[in-house]
Amino acid sequence: MREPSWSQKDVPCLNSASRRATQDPAVLWSRVGLESGQVVVDVGAGSGYFSFPAASRVGEAGRVYAVDVSADLVQFVRERAERARIRNVQAVLSTPERIPLEDAVADVTLLANVFHGIPPATVLEAVRVLRPGGRLVNVDWKKEPSPEGPDVRHRLSKGEAEAALSAYGLSRLDSFDLGPYHYVLVFERPLPSRRPRRLVSAE
Ligand SMILES: C[S@@+](CC[C@H](N)C(=O)[O-])C[C@H]1O[C@@H](n2cnc3c(N)ncnc32)[C@H](O)[C@@H]1O
């Protein structure tokens, strides 16, 4: 992750029209199968590049929490939602250690262009807010040179990301490319295992 922190000065870059050609949110949400009525937690949402298209898909019955540690970007998302009268996007200010949402609220948790730079405490929070049976979607830069994006040395390969996320108790469901520079890994938070009931003798 780049330091110092992200702010509204980054919005032109985060919302650039050219991004759609290489990281199309509509393609992502369609492939993930995001449905009307679902709840999404977008961790490290930035300008809401993936959050607002998610909100269109989940509709009025659904909700998108756009979570970020940058108060400036949280304010940007809040004002953008208010201006456009979008009521199902809620901007949420977090810290690296705490996402102020209840356990298991999300059907889908998104980590887009952030997993290579966030601490384990944030990943634990991203998993905590996901319901058992829900999906964690990780979109990140391939670990190879590209005309844009973070230094290759700071990126995680798909294999590294898969191993790291599996260590949080997640099971991989799917994997695909989003445009030429990104991979997507889709994980499930497993349902609690049912222990077999002890057989009691009828005697
Ligand atoms: C590269 S931008 C990605 C924004 C957005 N996901 C996208 O793809 O357009 C990274 C964002 O993650 C936020 N961020 C960094 N560390 C974070 C953390 N520990 N928890 C939540 N957000 C974080 C930054 O403030 C910034 O807005």
Side-chain angles (χ1 to χ4, degrees):
M1 182 78 39
R2 204 185 51 170
E3 296 294 343
S5 55
W6 293 73
S7 69
Q8 292 194 29
K9 72 177 176 345
D10 299 301
V11 168
C13 170
L14 289 169
N15 279 357
S16 74
S18 63
R19 248 190 115 181
R20 227 156 281 278
T22 56
Q23 303 170 58
D24 188 339
V27 171
L28 176 74
W29 292 128
S30 164
R31 173 72 190 251
V32 165
L34 188 63
E35 290 173 8
S36 170
Q38 290 194 309
V39 174
V40 177
V41 175
D42 182 359
V43 179
S47 62
Y49 178 77
F50 288 99
S51 307
F52 285 96
S56 302
R57 275 190 80 101
V58 300
E60 300 230 322
R63 177 160 290 268
V64 178
Y65 295 100
V67 175
D68 208 287
V69 292
S70 163
D72 200 32
L73 285 169
V74 167
Q75 181 66 14
F76 174 81
V77 169
R78 189 169 292 139
E79 286 173 1
R80 184 176 163 189
E82 278 169 11
R83 261 199 318 276
R85 295 175 198 272
I86 295 170
R87 283 182 256 281
N88 61 349
V89 171
Q90 187 174 327
V92 176
L93 181 62
S94 64
T95 68
E97 295 76 30
R98 177 83 186 147
I99 295 173
L101 293 173
E102 285 176 22
D103 292 358
V105 287
D107 297 296
V108 174
T109 300
L110 176 68
L111 299 174
N113 300 304
V114 294
F115 182 56
H116 64 269
I118 55 176
T122 307
V123 185
L124 282 171
E125 283 292 275
V127 174
R128 178 185 64 77
V129 298
L130 183 63
R131 69 167 169 81
R135 286 170 298 157
L136 183 143
V137 178
N138 178 47
V139 179
D140 219 339
W141 295 89
K142 293 179 184 172
K143 196 174 172 65
E144 55 193 50
S146 55
E148 55 208 28
D151 191 312
V152 174
R153 285 171 302 175
H154 298 153
R155 304 184 192 187
L156 294 171
S157 69
K158 188 162 80 169
E160 288 167 336
E162 181 174 345
L165 283 164
S166 299
Y168 290 86
L170 302 166
S171 315
R172 203 197 81 163
L173 291 178
D174 195 10
S175 157
F176 54 94
D177 281 354
L178 181 66
Y181 311 129
H182 289 79
Y183 58 81
V184 180
L185 287 162
V186 182
F187 293 85
E188 182 184 44
R189 181 177 179 187
L191 296 164
S193 60
R194 284 224 198 117
R195 293 169 67 191
R197 288 224 308 267
R198 240 174 10 146
L199 289 175
V200 180
S201 160
E203 291 172 60

